[in-house]
Amino acid sequence: MIIFRKLPNFVEVSMKKGLKYLFLVVALLFCYASWGRDIYSLNRRWTFSIGHTNSTSHGKEVNLPHTWNNDAMMGKTDYYRGEGYYDRSVNIPAEWNGKRLFLRVLGANSVANLFVNGRHVGEHRGGNSSFTFEVTDFVKFGQTNMLRIVVNNSPRLDVLPTAGTANRYGGLYRGVELIVTDSFAISPLEQGSDGVWVEQHKVSRERVEGAVRVALSGLKPATEDCSVAIRITDENEELITDNIVSIPANYNKAIEVPFTIENPTLWNGVHNPYMYDIDVCLNVGSRVIDSLSISTGFRSLEVKPQQGLILNGEPYPLRGAVIHRDRAMGGNALTPLQIEEDFNILLEMGANAVRIDGGQHAQYFYDLCDRNGILVWSDFPLQGQVLATDCQYVGTEEYHKNGSAQLEESILQLYNHPSIAFWGIFSKLNYRGDDPTEYVRLLNDKTKALDPSRLTAAVSNQDGELNFITDVVIFEHSFGWGSGSPDDIALWCDQFKKQWGTKICSGVSFVAGGSIYHQDGKLERPTVDSQWHPEGWQTHLHERYMHHLQGQEGFIGIFATNLFEFGAATLTSGDGKGVDDTGLVTFDRKDKKDAFYLYKALWNTTDPFVHIVGRRYDTRTESVQSIKIYSNQAEVDLVLNDFPVSTKTSGNGIFIWENLELQPGINRIEARSGWATDKISIFVESDAMGRAAAKHMAPHRRTNL
């Protein structure tokens, strides 16, 4: 027998009394006395079998989140892309007869089919978003029921994305829930969302005007009055405003409950990520039959060429990083603790913004962004061609239909997160093959219709009409990586401002690979497709870009690409097969590269630190060396072999001691600034030792586990 684990329903009781609010208070009192719906986690004890076995007798027990693609994380180019079967038994109590049951899958990549007791319930296409099917008519009450979810991550030309190097892991990689409601309920069937959207119509420091839109599902009782009540409280649990709206007879659409907040505290990014709680109750007569609680914030967003992003009427330059949604050993099946670890690294960097590449993240990640004031650029999986075999855009009806559906799901599911500022429409599209321009226009128009309160955005790496469709364009550059010099970014900035600076609202992103296992004393641009990606060059490139971009006016901000290395089994370059090493942090999150600390020195103003650059280049042949340190402090002391060298000051986070004479053998180097310290050891070979070592020296190669 399966014992359900009930998920918490975070409803807090705090209300003001008064005759004016008597009817509403009574309705809300019933709301807090009745949860209205039950949500049960179904993440444990699934039987998984791979597609070619097609039998639970060959399966193994797994818990969710789960992916079957360990082979992709080992860099196997032809990693398994096919069907995986997830089976589970569920006991449905007899007393639930008369209730409605829904199965919500929080993430399945990329096509999923649900079966209950052998009967097909439905299919969902798209691996980034949640989806929900009603299973009321498929279950047997008072009996054990069999669930089967067949997940398929095979390449398809009618399911986005169809291009890109990132791994396409298969599996139930986020979790599954069973939702139990009354026969009349707040609808769980609205594109995988909760069916409640907090709309902001007018936002200023004096007033917020908006409405809570609530989708309803099921037959409204004909003999009783029905209503939807809302209650908005602040962070001190004090009542701010409330309202109740009657549901007309035969009403089967979403109902809007208007509200006004006087003298609001606005959600203001990292300065003050203020949130309100909104409780929503569906009432039948004097009974509350369903309820949900939403946390959100209110803010105004606009962009202006030459000024950038305007948040709540004030300029808000973005300091951002790009992240992917996987990591070593677990792929895309991330646990809450792993999501927290990734988020804390983003905070340590000092970022105030993040771009999520290739599709939506788990809801928990957005919750963390909401509470910490991190502005989010959430990408749509319309990605440009990277490999010659990729089909980036396919102008078929099924492709268009799937893209439109995925876009709507993402917007409706993430709508209530105040951290989301940008809906990314496409990333690095080109004009090879079918022309995507008109389709991008359609997606942009659809996004504006679904959510006029946010901005549309795109990532570009070329000229063309595509750059003029969305509100914002981030130009991603590889000067100094694919070709040219990192300093070429300065020339591009000058040309852009002269030609397009008054027409396009833009930001800048840039990329370079670097392996912590590839160390030398040279500063030469490597070949991208080679297996030698020295960390020192990546550090140098980011340093030069930031030298030219930090403080540049006329851009919305900077997005370092990427914060983390990510799985890309088709790549054979770098320090090992199957990992894109452009991240500032390694795939397993164990090592932060030197370039990470450059951003921490420039952006993190709250956590004092010093970091000695080049620490992994720990065996050198020359005795005369330069020592570089990154720090967010005004001055740093250097100590060599227990003897003070000097104190240096800097206004750009970079401190350099040139032409230091190191002794043969081990040299102890320490950097100090207040209580912040860092220590490394460098071994200097004698001339004879150096010549002998040079004959046998080969790049250190990493094997991906």
Side-chain angles (χ1 to χ4, degrees):
M1 176 178 176
I2 299 299
I3 300 176
F4 293 112
R5 180 173 64 86
K6 197 169 194 176
L7 298 182
N9 190 323
F10 298 103
V11 177
E12 300 288 343
V13 180
S14 177
M15 58 182 65
K16 289 183 177 180
K17 298 180 180 179
L19 293 176
K20 181 179 178 180
Y21 301 104
L22 180 60
F23 177 62
L24 179 59
V25 168
V26 170
L28 290 168
L29 180 62
F30 279 103
C31 177
Y32 300 123
S34 169
W35 287 0
R37 67 172 58 196
D38 292 322
I39 304 175
Y40 301 93
S41 171
L42 300 182
N43 286 347
R44 298 182 63 82
R45 295 195 294 277
W46 290 82
T47 299
F48 171 74
S49 54
I50 206 69
H52 58 261
T53 63
N54 196 16
S55 172
T56 56
S57 62
H58 295 89
K60 63 177 181 179
E61 185 174 295
V62 300
N63 296 324
L64 307 183
H66 175 261
T67 178
W68 61 71
N69 281 127
N70 289 330
D71 52 351
M73 287 174 278
M74 296 190 319
K76 186 179 180 183
T77 304
D78 57 342
Y79 63 93
Y80 178 71
R81 298 190 67 175
E83 291 181 341
Y85 291 78
Y86 292 86
D87 295 277
R88 191 191 197 281
S89 62
V90 180
N91 182 47
I92 304 297
E95 55 267 27
W96 284 1
N97 199 353
K99 297 282 189 178
R100 295 176 68 188
L101 279 64
F102 304 86
L103 201 74
R104 174 178 291 171
V105 178
L106 302 177
N109 196 44
S110 62
V111 176
N113 281 269
L114 172 64
F115 298 83
V116 176
N117 296 322
R119 299 169 60 196
H120 184 253
V121 178
E123 180 182 72
H124 179 264
R125 299 184 179 189
N128 292 294
S129 54
S130 305
F131 59 92
T132 306
F133 290 119
E134 183 167 5
V135 296
T136 308
D137 295 336
F138 294 85
V139 301
K140 299 175 181 178
F141 294 93
Q143 299 183 38
T144 298
N145 292 256
M146 297 303 301
L147 304 180
R148 166 169 283 193
I149 303 176
V150 182
V151 184
N152 194 329
N153 68 333
S154 298
R156 298 181 59 141
L157 293 181
D158 59 350
V159 178
L160 279 68
T162 55
T165 59
N167 290 339
R168 311 298 181 197
Y169 304 97
L172 292 177
Y173 69 97
R174 282 190 186 138
V176 176
E177 298 173 348
L178 181 67
I179 303 171
V180 183
T181 74
D182 200 271
S183 58
F184 184 45
I186 300 171
S187 178
L189 295 173
E190 300 299 314
Q191 304 291 351
S193 72
D194 287 328
V196 174
W197 305 277
V198 182
E199 299 175 341
Q200 52 175 55
H201 300 153
K202 295 181 180 180
V203 176
S204 69
R205 297 190 183 277
E206 292 74 34
R207 174 182 292 187
V208 171
E209 297 178 7
V212 179
R213 185 159 55 95
V214 183
L216 305 174
S217 179
L219 294 177
K220 172 180 173 290
T223 59
E224 295 183 273
D225 293 330
C226 300
S227 61
V228 174
I230 66 168
R231 181 174 184 273
I232 302 178
T233 55
D234 63 15
E235 290 188 345
N236 295 319
E237 301 181 1
E238 293 292 328
L239 178 65
I240 300 301
T241 188
D242 45 29
N243 199 4
I244 189 165
V245 172
S246 296
I247 303 172
N250 302 318
Y251 194 86
N252 59 359
K253 299 183 296 183
I255 193 165
E256 291 194 354
V257 184
F259 66 86
T260 300
I261 300 176
E262 302 289 349
N263 300 313
T265 301
L266 300 183
W267 191 93
N268 201 35
V270 293
H271 304 309
N272 186 16
Y274 196 89
M275 304 279 285
Y276 290 89
D277 290 326
I278 303 179
D279 299 311
V280 182
C281 296
L282 176 60
N283 310 307
V284 174
S286 60
R287 295 175 294 115
V288 173
I289 60 172
D290 202 0
S291 62
L292 286 171
S293 184
I294 305 295
S295 293
T296 192
F298 304 101
R299 74 283 177 275
S300 65
L301 297 165
E302 61 177 323
V303 287
K304 297 179 180 180
Q306 299 180 308
Q307 293 185 16
L309 179 68
I310 310 297
L311 175 65
N312 300 324
E314 300 291 336
Y316 195 84
L318 299 179
R319 308 183 304 268
V322 180
I323 65 169
H324 289 73
R325 298 155 294 151
D326 69 338
R327 58 193 293 162
M329 305 305 294
N332 60 348
L334 302 178
T335 67
L337 287 177
Q338 290 173 325
I339 293 173
E340 287 178 14
E341 181 183 14
D342 286 357
F343 186 80
N344 287 333
I345 292 173
L346 181 72
L347 291 183
E348 180 187 350
M349 183 186 191
N352 66 7
V354 63
R355 176 182 149 235
I356 302 169
D357 187 276
Q360 71 192 67
H361 211 316
Q363 289 280 353
Y364 184 45
F365 185 84
Y366 299 99
D367 291 339
L368 293 172
C369 291
D370 292 342
R371 294 295 180 185
N372 291 274
I374 302 298
L375 281 170
V376 176
W377 173 316
S378 188
D379 257 358
F380 177 66
L382 178 56
Q383 298 174 314
Q385 181 175 334
V386 178
L387 304 175
T389 55
D390 283 342
C391 298
Q392 55 166 7
Y393 165 69
V394 184
T396 64
E397 182 179 352
E398 286 301 312
Y399 183 98
H400 287 181
K401 181 179 178 182
N402 180 257
S404 180
Q406 288 198 48
L407 179 71
E408 185 170 353
E409 286 177 342
S410 183
I411 293 173
L412 294 183
Q413 289 173 24
L414 303 177
Y415 193 95
N416 296 320
H417 291 283
S419 57
I420 296 180
F422 305 98
W423 297 119
I425 304 298
F426 69 85
S427 176
K428 294 177 286 187
L429 283 181
N430 54 57
Y431 291 96
R432 296 195 295 268
D434 292 335
D435 188 346
T437 305
E438 288 308 309
Y439 185 55
V440 169
R441 290 189 191 279
L442 289 172
L443 293 176
N444 190 73
D445 292 344
K446 184 180 180 70
T447 301
K448 289 292 189 181
L450 287 169
D451 185 5
S453 69
R454 290 184 173 93
L455 304 164
T456 58
V459 179
S460 178
N461 58 358
Q462 60 186 301
D463 296 330
E465 188 179 357
L466 286 170
N467 296 331
F468 296 89
I469 297 175
T470 56
D471 296 322
V472 173
V473 174
I474 289 289
F475 287 95
E476 183 176 301
H477 295 294
S478 58
F479 303 128
W481 180 235
S483 61
S485 163
D487 293 313
D488 292 342
I489 187 63
L491 299 175
W492 179 88
C493 287
D494 290 340
Q495 293 175 358
F496 176 83
K497 289 181 178 180
K498 291 176 182 178
Q499 297 180 19
W500 308 111
T502 61
K503 301 177 181 179
I504 301 176
C505 193
S506 171
V508 183
S509 181
F510 41 95
V511 62
S515 168
I516 63 171
Y517 297 100
H518 296 175
Q519 306 291 335
D520 63 16
K522 301 176 182 178
L523 202 58
E524 299 176 353
R525 176 170 60 85
T527 303
V528 174
D529 294 334
S530 73
Q531 293 188 318
W532 180 248
H533 288 178
E535 181 186 6
W537 182 259
Q538 182 192 50
T539 306
H540 171 71
L541 184 145
H542 281 271
E543 196 174 291
R544 296 309 299 164
Y545 269 79
M546 293 305 292
H547 171 76
H548 294 294
L549 293 174
Q550 189 81 348
Q552 276 265 12
E553 296 181 353
F555 295 106
I556 67 168
I558 298 167
F559 284 83
T561 310
N562 295 284
L563 181 54
F564 305 114
E565 295 180 341
F566 62 92
T570 57
L571 293 184
T572 58
S573 58
D575 66 308
K577 298 173 67 175
V579 174
D580 185 302
D581 62 8
T582 57
L584 305 179
V585 181
T586 55
F587 196 28
D588 57 13
R589 311 308 196 254
K590 291 181 179 179
D591 293 282
K592 300 179 179 75
K593 303 178 188 179
D594 285 337
F596 172 87
Y597 291 96
L598 170 66
Y599 291 97
K600 184 174 180 179
L602 294 172
W603 292 351
N604 185 330
T605 60
T606 59
D607 304 318
F609 84 100
V610 290
H611 173 81
I612 303 172
V613 179
R615 64 201 313 107
R616 282 171 280 270
Y617 181 36
D618 54 7
T619 301
R620 308 186 186 185
T621 58
E622 301 292 334
S623 59
V624 177
Q625 296 286 330
S626 292
I627 301 300
K628 181 185 295 184
I629 291 168
Y630 294 149
S631 177
N632 56 5
Q633 301 301 289
E635 60 181 35
V636 174
D637 300 322
L638 185 70
V639 177
L640 174 61
N641 294 323
D642 300 323
F643 290 96
V645 177
S646 64
T647 300
K648 286 188 177 292
T649 61
S650 173
N652 66 353
I654 304 172
F655 303 77
I656 301 176
W657 284 260
E658 296 180 336
N659 300 319
L660 287 182
E661 184 73 31
L662 306 188
Q663 66 186 19
I666 296 176
N667 292 263
R668 298 178 302 279
I669 299 173
E670 181 178 0
R672 300 172 181 168
S673 183
W675 59 264
T677 63
D678 191 24
K679 298 178 182 180
I680 67 168
S681 294
I682 294 177
F683 184 81
V684 176
E685 299 167 331
S686 67
D687 290 342
M689 293 170 62
R691 286 192 297 271
K695 290 183 179 180
H696 301 95
M697 189 163 51
H700 188 132
R701 296 288 305 283
R702 175 170 66 183
T703 301
N704 298 305
L705 299 179

